[in-house]
């Protein structure tokens, strides 16, 4: 199916582009969301990938499958996003370093890291029960949005809404952790 779609796309078929978008959008968005942890960024990356696909349709030479190509594009876009150097991405990277239990820090830093883990766990425990469950399945069990929706017998949109709301609440309640990390020079 994807070879026919790709061939039609390369000939400039809007219908083929719409079909590719319909078939692959959700999976590409889920992958971007899992890698970035931010719904707005994941949406931007997903849109950029499909815009780029359309703009470069005549020059794309795929020997493999279209899905694999699109997933490769997600990885590339996510890397570029985090390399962009904006303050938000630097803060995200700083928090990732802080949360890494294998971080080779001094004894005081390890104690602080333990306290920060505790703060994050406490913030997660304050989320509504259903939101905690969805967030845990997404982040700790690394399940896709589709898998979570199927397991909990809810719509994909409900899962997306729960994850997005959880991330917003956690970012709001944990924003001071980024300041601590910057002040300690752990970034």
């Amino acid at each position: 199916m994807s070879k026919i779609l790709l061939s039609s796309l390369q000939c400039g078929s809007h219908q083929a582009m719409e079909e590719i978008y319909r078939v692959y959008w959700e999976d590409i968005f889920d992958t971007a969301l899992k890698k970035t942890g931010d719904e707005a960024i994941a949406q931007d990356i997903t849109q950029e990938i499909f815009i780029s696909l359309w703009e470069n349709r005549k020059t794309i030479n795929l020997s493999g499958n279209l899905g694999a190509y699109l997933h490769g594009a997600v990885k590339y876009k996510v890397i570029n996003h985090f390399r962009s150097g904006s303050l938000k991405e630097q803060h995200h990277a700083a928090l990732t370093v802080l949360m890494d239990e294998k971080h080779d820090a001094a004894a005081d830093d390890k104690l602080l890291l333990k306290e920060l883990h505790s703060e994050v766990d406490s913030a997660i425990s304050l989320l509504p029960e259903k939101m905690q469950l969805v967030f845990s399945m997404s982040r700790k069990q690394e399940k896709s949005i589709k898998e979570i929706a199927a397991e909990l017998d809810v719509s994909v949109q409900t899962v997306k809404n729960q994850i997005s709301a959880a991330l917003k609440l956690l970012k709001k309640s944990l924003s001071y952790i980024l300041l601590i990390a910057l002040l300690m020079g752990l970034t």
Side-chain angles (χ1 to χ4, degrees):
M1 175 176 111
S2 64
K3 286 188 179 192
I4 295 169
L5 279 175
L6 186 59
S7 177
S8 297
L9 175 70
Q10 289 174 324
C11 292
S13 168
H14 290 278
Q15 188 175 15
M17 183 65 205
E18 289 172 14
E19 180 67 13
I20 290 169
Y21 185 85
R22 186 189 64 73
V23 168
Y24 292 100
W25 182 89
E26 189 172 340
D27 191 37
I28 297 304
F29 173 79
D30 288 350
T31 302
L33 180 60
K34 193 168 263 187
K35 291 183 181 297
T36 64
D38 187 303
E39 188 172 340
I41 293 169
Q43 287 175 347
D44 289 345
I45 287 172
T46 302
Q47 292 303 324
E48 287 175 20
I49 288 169
F50 286 103
I51 289 169
S52 177
L53 179 65
W54 176 254
E55 289 174 345
N56 298 306
R57 67 189 177 276
K58 293 179 182 175
T59 58
I60 291 176
N61 185 12
L62 290 179
S63 57
N65 118 1
L66 183 57
Y69 170 83
L70 293 172
H71 279 277
V74 170
K75 289 178 187 176
Y76 174 77
K77 291 284 186 185
V78 168
I79 288 168
N80 280 347
H81 169 74
F82 285 113
R83 282 186 182 162
S84 70
S86 77
L87 190 56
K88 185 175 181 181
E89 286 82 22
Q90 289 173 3
H91 286 175
H92 179 75
L95 183 59
T96 300
V97 168
L98 276 176
M99 302 296 286
D100 185 359
E101 293 180 359
K102 295 178 183 165
H103 182 66
D104 188 24
D108 290 343
D109 290 346
K110 287 182 180 179
L111 179 61
L112 178 62
L113 187 59
K114 185 176 179 179
E115 290 173 16
L116 292 176
H117 273 284
S118 177
E119 291 287 331
V120 170
D121 289 341
S122 293
I124 290 171
S125 72
L126 295 175
L127 295 173
E129 187 176 326
K130 184 83 166 190
M131 194 178 289
Q132 276 185 50
L133 177 61
V134 170
F135 188 79
S136 173
M137 291 173 81
S138 172
R139 295 306 188 267
K140 292 182 181 177
Q141 298 174 21
E142 297 184 357
K143 293 186 178 187
S144 73
I145 290 175
K146 284 182 184 179
E147 290 171 329
I148 296 168
E151 195 170 316
L152 298 178
D153 196 28
V154 296
S155 73
V156 168
Q157 189 59 47
T158 298
V159 174
K160 288 179 186 178
N161 291 345
Q162 290 285 330
I163 292 172
S164 179
L167 288 170
K168 285 178 187 174
L169 291 171
L170 290 173
K171 283 179 186 177
K172 187 175 184 180
S173 66
L174 297 173
S175 61
Y176 67 92
I177 289 178
L178 297 175
L179 179 60
I180 292 170
L182 290 173
L183 292 175
M184 288 188 56
L186 293 175
T187 57

